[in-house]
Amino acid sequence: MKVHQAIAHALHDNGVRDLFGLIGDANLYFSDSFVRDCNGQFISSANEDGATLMALGYTVATGKLGCCSVTHGAALTNTLTALTHGTKARTPMLLLCGDTAVADHENFQNTPQRDHVLATGAGFEQLRTPETAAIDIATAIRRAWTERRPIVLNIPVEFQWLDVDYAPVVWRKPEMRTIVPESEDLDNAIGIIAAARRPLVLAGRGAIDEDAAAAILRFAKRLEAPVATTLQAKDLFADDNCNLGIFGTLSQDVAIEQILEADCVIAFGASLNPFTMSQGAFAKDKRIVQIDIDAAQFGRFLQTDASVLGDAGRTADLFTHWLNEAEIPGCGWRGDELATTLATARAAVISIDPQDSDPIDMPRAIKICNAALPADRVLVTDGGRFLGEPWKNFRVSHPRNFTITLAFGSIGLGMGYAIGTAVGRPGEPVVHLTGDGGFVLGGLTEFNTAVRHGLNFTTIVCNDGAYGAEHIQFRRKNMDPTLSTFEWPDFAKVADALGGKGFRVTTCGELRHALDASKNATVPVLIDLILDPDNMPEFP
């Protein structure tokens, strides 16, 4: 077969069924072959950055490798923000990019693609010869998973129509769960846990699968300790009556009180970054045990008292086993008194009762969304000042139904993630929460992509008519914030013009109506929340 066909078959043989991208003369043939010869789905984006974000979102939403295809030159440089974000987020993804012919040195799309890619922190892999196409694709896939970052496979355009004998080369992802061996690290961790009087058990994104979560909760109950989660593992223990909720700068007041009383934190699958540790305040006067399957996390942000390399669930069960063997009593912290304190605080947080005539604001909006949207919704959040309230109080049924897109601190990345999520999890309700600036920067260009591909999800624009983070900085210094404010077009009408369905919302009743209408919509829905830039909750 031709090389472009071999590339398509190699993707299919490695389990790829959905390919995001934007075609050009260096990638159109293998993208076409992926659809025609391999029965794959090609999701055509409006911008290469959007396509790359879609592939990243697909990986996060499905646990399968997101793949993207772009041509050379400016197409590749358009992906650099997404590649940098994916690298910082440590998300595996495969980007196949064409490259100009080596002999065509003066091609106006020629650029040092390797240099661009490596500058983002992503990995670079060269398709070496036509004969090694299948091997090189399997290698790039292996690197994406094992290095936990995007890998770019560079494909010279002149290879595409050459003949090659194709033989499948498949890389299979190995079992990553490991049993913790006997070691000094394990002994130190058990000793610290046994000596603790006010231990707290923390779970991060690396501990959200069902087996791990169940084992961690068993361990916490045996230890008689409360549980908490990082932001990225939010609502993992929502049904537990001694759940403190988010541990970090987004903690509720009652959780902060309990966290400060702890003398030990046992963290499973959590990086312990400055936001989780509240800029160091939550590490003070505590001994910290960190458990992770990725040794690169140890000492990355915080020096701990014991670091245990191993699977979260199996390590939690091992801790429980040794506590039982040594007959170590529970600490007594977890109990009716703590449960009552937490329940009372939760009731106070959700006590707001929005009336239909009330003007819309973030707390009321989140309360209404929680009640009106399907319980199994998948929440994808963009960047912006509006995030504090939804991150704290917008509920999800499981952390895998929650995605943040701020690893690079950029706004405008959420729409790509939402589309990737909707493609990877068809039929599930997806909610994309963005700001007005983020929507214009990155969401607007891809909204029609969702329309074209028949993706039915809801975008909620938190529209305060400003770049909110900059607006509040001007206000804090008693400066005129005009430079941060904008008179945007009517986003509801824009959504209609792009083939979706738009709603402009100024009251709680209008939001309820829009959410109700979104349940039966057959096209993407956009809900434009008109908010006051001087009445937005503080972002922690």
Side-chain angles (χ1 to χ4, degrees), residues 234 362 366 379 386-394 433:
K234 78 186 298 292
M362 286 307 299
I366 300 309
L379 177 62
F386 66 91
L387 280 174
E389 190 69 26
W391 275 357
K392 288 191 287 187
N393 295 316
F394 205 131
L433 198 64

Side-chain angles (χ1 to χ4, degrees), residues 353-365:
D353 184 21
Q355 302 300 304
D356 281 354
S357 59
D358 289 344
I360 201 68
D361 61 17
M362 286 307 299
R364 288 182 174 89

Side-chain angles (χ1 to χ4, degrees), residues 19 92 94 168 170 180 192 210 224 251 331 347 366 426 450 453 476 507 533:
L19 181 63
L94 174 62
V170 177
V180 182
I192 291 169
E210 282 76 6
E224 298 178 4
S251 293
C331 70
I366 300 309
H453 291 282
R476 285 171 178 166
T507 68

Side-chain angles (χ1 to χ4, degrees), residues 52 76 79-87 93 95 117 120 122 150 152:
T52 311
L76 184 276
T79 71
L80 300 185
T81 294
L83 289 175
T84 305
H85 164 81
T87 300
M93 191 272 290
L95 173 61
V117 170
T120 71
V152 176

